Amino acid sequence: MVSCFVCIQWFHSSTSTSTTKRLSLMGTHQQSWWFTDGNYHSSLTSSQLAPHNSQLPMLDWIRQIVALGIRRPGSPGDLATEQYLQRQFLDFGITEVQLEPVPVQHWAPTETTLCGPGQDGASFSCFAVPYTAWTSPAGIRAEAVFLGEGTREQFEAIDLAGKLAVLDLRFGQFSADLLRSGAHFVCDPAATIPAGNLHAATWLVENFAAYYEAERRGALGLIGILRDSPIDGPQQYIPYDGHLKGLPAVWVGRESGQRLRALARRGETLTLKNLGTTEPVQSHNVVATVPGSTHESILLTCHHDGPFASAVEDASGLAVLLHLARHFSARSRPLRRNLIFVASSGHFHGGIGNRVFVQRHRDGLLRNTVAALGIEHIAEEATGDGHGGYQLTGQAELRVLFADRGPRLLRLLEEATRRWQLDRTLAVDPYLFGPEPPCDSAPFFTAGIPSVCHISGPLYLFDPHDTIDKVRADDLPRVAGLFQELVGSIDSLPAEELAEGLQRRRDDPPQPLPPWFCAPEDYPRPV
């Protein structure tokens, strides 16, 4: 560790009107770190510059959040997480902490079973598809039919009325080539990012339109086989759009696919039972404000809900958010801008938390917000181990920094990314995938606010294997350092300069929901 104290000096260059701030770090390493015309300069490595002794507290916060249990929107574990975050902000000495209401549906399965033909039919391990309908207590006993991948031609060839549809679910692919095509810059000094497809995009169900088509054609329920899953087992919390649906549905693991397809092709009778409760709950965005010396603000955000007792998704991002809140609230001299920390609700409810925040504050707080910074998923890379589980590769999961085309913010971001040695990183156009970036802070991008979001997409994000060992602990201080530096740099820049080059303006009309969150009535028909 670097033991140091910091001395700050201000001076004016004899040959320039610019002001320079010099920081002398004294201790095991000695250097001058200076900031001139919006640029930091340093001779030390990022490990020497990393926030002092910050990794262990961040890991402790992650463990404490994980210990609160499953954090699905509106669940007891998620509401307990809101209270935990509120206490942490208050313990840092932040006096302005608000719980802003966000309405969600707490959708909670209590019993989910799928049994084969006959009175003593063998059961299949299964998992309720989020936000789908419940069956009666007796369940649904009906003939099964195999839909293949649910193309229009396959639907036309089968009568689904009164039957259980069995579908091969298909995931999209996470493509490095696509990311590179929309990249502003790439930080990969060891050339570890391969060409082509990286792995299955478990958040992207390519043929979920078949669910709605099966409902239209009179099916009683849908059984989806996770054909492209990297592991055995049915537990994938997808899709998470928050729309309550009319047809009962379950996922079944890839290891059961062959047996289930054979039963459905023969038209055997299956029994599907899916019981649970759905109730409206008032969840909250936890909003903490560290005052600055002007009326302008910088916003930092991460969501507090998760599909399971998830460590990477997104206790890891919350830990960085808490570190930054503690760091900046402890400063004896405030920044020019207020810092607004938003631990948002309902990411797994169609990203509702930050959408509600933007709607609520668009004409007030956000008019004077010069930048919004999102922090998600500090993750280890994993692959399937060939035996139904995961194995870690020892590398960081490839990460994306979504950022718009503003030249000044991009330059700051690239310099900070390289300085903090956040390797395996691509800075990508936020609209590469659709009308908004696939991250929780998307509403700030589309509201025309200069924005950056750190995110990664490891295979295990939506299953219960997202445990503490999947957090890339060594990168916690690096990501914290990146955002700590960005905040300091942004604080000195005029709002107009930060907004140059943005593709969305503050007064542009709202964007439609992206395909991954679109309403049932807007879903495309199968092709």
Side-chain angles (χ1 to χ4, degrees), residues 3-172:
S3 176
C4 67
F5 66 88
V6 179
C7 175
I8 303 178
Q9 300 173 334
W10 289 90
F11 67 89
H12 289 274
S13 167
S14 60
T15 59
S16 171
T17 59
S18 66
T19 301
T20 299
K21 180 170 61 176
R22 174 171 289 168
L23 294 84
S24 299
L25 304 187
M26 309 295 294
T28 307
H29 299 89
Q30 183 171 345
Q31 73 152 62
S32 288
W33 183 28
W34 62 96
F35 176 85
T36 306
D37 297 329
N39 295 308
Y40 283 89
H41 306 274
S42 170
S43 60
L44 294 187
T45 67
S46 65
S47 61
Q48 295 164 340
L49 286 172
H52 183 58
N53 203 28
S54 61
Q55 185 186 112
L56 290 179
M58 284 191 275
L59 285 171
D60 283 343
W61 288 325
I62 294 169
R63 291 188 184 98
Q64 290 165 23
I65 292 167
V66 167
L68 295 173
I70 292 173
R71 303 192 307 279
R72 293 171 191 161
S75 67
D78 192 39
L79 298 181
T81 302
E82 295 175 358
Q83 297 298 317
Y84 171 84
L85 294 168
Q86 184 185 36
R87 289 194 303 272
Q88 291 297 322
F89 287 135
L90 291 170
D91 287 348
F92 297 158
I94 302 174
T95 57
E96 190 176 338
V97 184
Q98 306 292 332
L99 295 179
E100 297 188 354
V102 178
V104 297
Q105 295 288 339
H106 178 215
W107 179 89
T110 55
E111 182 182 356
T112 306
T113 61
L114 177 64
C115 296
Q119 293 286 41
D120 300 316
S123 64
F124 294 84
S125 179
C126 59
F127 184 74
V129 177
Y131 302 107
T132 55
W134 311 120
T135 67
S136 69
I140 299 167
R141 182 174 173 82
E143 177 186 341
V145 293
F146 183 55
L147 264 180
E149 296 180 15
T151 65
R152 182 171 59 186
E153 182 180 0
Q154 288 167 324
F155 271 104
E156 294 296 340
I158 294 173
D159 178 14
L160 275 179
K163 299 174 183 176
L164 290 171
V166 176
L167 174 77
D168 267 334
L169 194 76
R170 302 310 306 263
F171 291 144

Side-chain angles (χ1 to χ4, degrees), residues 298 337 370-371 373 409 412 486-493 498:
I298 301 168
R337 272 109 180 204
V370 302
L373 308 176
L409 189 54
L412 292 174
L486 276 180
V487 168
S489 298
I490 289 169
D491 192 50
S492 68
L493 293 177
L498 289 165

Side-chain angles (χ1 to χ4, degrees), residues 359-423:
Q359 292 166 3
R360 183 174 288 143
H361 295 288
R362 179 185 290 272
D363 296 324
L365 169 68
L366 294 181
R367 281 289 171 189
N368 296 311
T369 297
V370 302
L373 308 176
I375 308 158
E376 301 186 62
H377 312 167
I378 295 84
E380 292 279 358
E381 183 184 58
T383 62
D385 64 5
H387 305 286
Y390 289 116
Q391 61 183 4
L392 299 179
T393 68
Q395 296 191 115
E397 174 68 23
L398 181 146
R399 74 191 101 220
V400 169
L401 293 169
F402 285 113
D404 214 330
R405 299 171 182 172
R408 192 58 182 276
L409 189 54
L410 277 176
R411 189 173 74 182
L412 292 174
L413 184 62
E414 181 170 7
E415 290 171 350
T417 299
R418 298 190 190 284
R419 182 164 22 260
W420 291 98
Q421 298 176 6
L422 284 177
D423 300 341

Side-chain angles (χ1 to χ4, degrees), residues 287-360:
V287 184
T289 302
V290 176
S293 59
T294 70
H295 68 288
E296 293 183 327
S297 299
I298 301 168
L299 184 143
L300 300 100
T301 184
C302 174
H303 63 89
H304 58 67
D305 60 319
F308 295 91
S310 308
V312 170
E313 174 77 272
D314 212 332
S316 66
L318 287 174
V320 174
L321 192 76
L322 289 172
H323 166 84
L324 295 168
R326 185 177 67 175
H327 169 80
F328 285 108
S329 64
R331 286 172 54 101
S332 58
R333 181 175 179 175
L335 297 176
R336 291 179 57 246
R337 272 109 180 204
N338 308 304
L339 293 184
I340 313 296
F341 295 91
V342 181
S344 60
S345 174
H347 178 69
F348 285 88
H349 200 288
I352 191 174
N354 273 330
R355 296 187 197 283
V356 167
F357 188 90
V358 168
Q359 292 166 3
R360 183 174 288 143

Side-chain angles (χ1 to χ4, degrees), residues 256-278:
S256 301
Q258 184 174 350
R259 184 161 61 103
L260 188 56
R261 290 184 198 98
L263 290 173
R265 285 188 174 111
R266 294 198 302 266
E268 300 279 9
T269 297
L270 304 178
T271 303
L272 170 64
K273 182 189 294 188
N274 193 21
L275 307 180
T277 59
T278 305

Side-chain angles (χ1 to χ4, degrees), residues 454-493:
H454 171 290
I455 193 167
S456 64
L459 286 168
Y460 49 78
L461 272 189
F462 310 118
D463 69 46
H465 300 280
D466 178 6
T467 46
I468 192 73
D469 59 306
K470 306 301 193 306
V471 175
R472 190 160 179 86
D474 287 349
D475 279 358
L476 290 169
R478 297 175 189 274
V479 174
L482 170 80
F483 282 98
Q484 197 169 302
E485 181 176 327
L486 276 180
V487 168
S489 298
I490 289 169
D491 192 50
S492 68
L493 293 177

